[in-house]
Amino acid sequence: MFDLSWMELLFVAVLALIVIGPKDLPALFRTGGKLMAKARRIYKDMLGSISQLEREVDMASGKTSQPDEQWRQWLPDEVRNLPADFTPGSMSAEQHAERRTQLDQARQQAMQSKEQQP
């Protein structure tokens, strides 16, 4: 690591014991341990964020042969089955309301047809 021998480490430990004192040394080690744990957590979060960003860039650029599409199963049916030419923000509020009534009617018809089947 820093290429310190056992004698040098022992000297630093004795010096810390003299300067800091035996009473405050455990608190110093506890604080140092908490800082190290927090630094490790931040490092792992950063690595996770970078790997997620790499996956998103690969999916957006088309480098992955088969993107992970499991998240689509959690979308509502009306969002999952949008037409290919749909552009977000292109419909007015009235068109949204009309589309919602059409979807509700189609859903009711599908439920009625399921009830009629034995």
Side-chain angles (χ1 to χ4, degrees), residues 14-67:
V14 170
L15 185 64
L17 186 61
I18 292 171
V19 172
I20 297 172
K23 192 176 189 180
D24 295 329
L25 201 57
L28 178 71
F29 286 143
R30 197 174 309 115
T31 304
K34 287 180 183 179
L35 286 174
M36 287 297 294
K38 189 172 185 177
R40 285 183 182 147
R41 208 170 326 130
I42 290 171
Y43 179 71
K44 286 182 182 181
D45 289 345
M46 184 182 65
L47 284 180
S49 297
I50 289 172
S51 65
Q52 180 181 359
L53 180 64
E54 287 175 347
R55 284 192 307 269
E56 290 174 0
V57 167
D58 287 344
M59 281 193 310
S61 65
K63 288 185 180 178
T64 58
S65 59
Q66 195 173 33

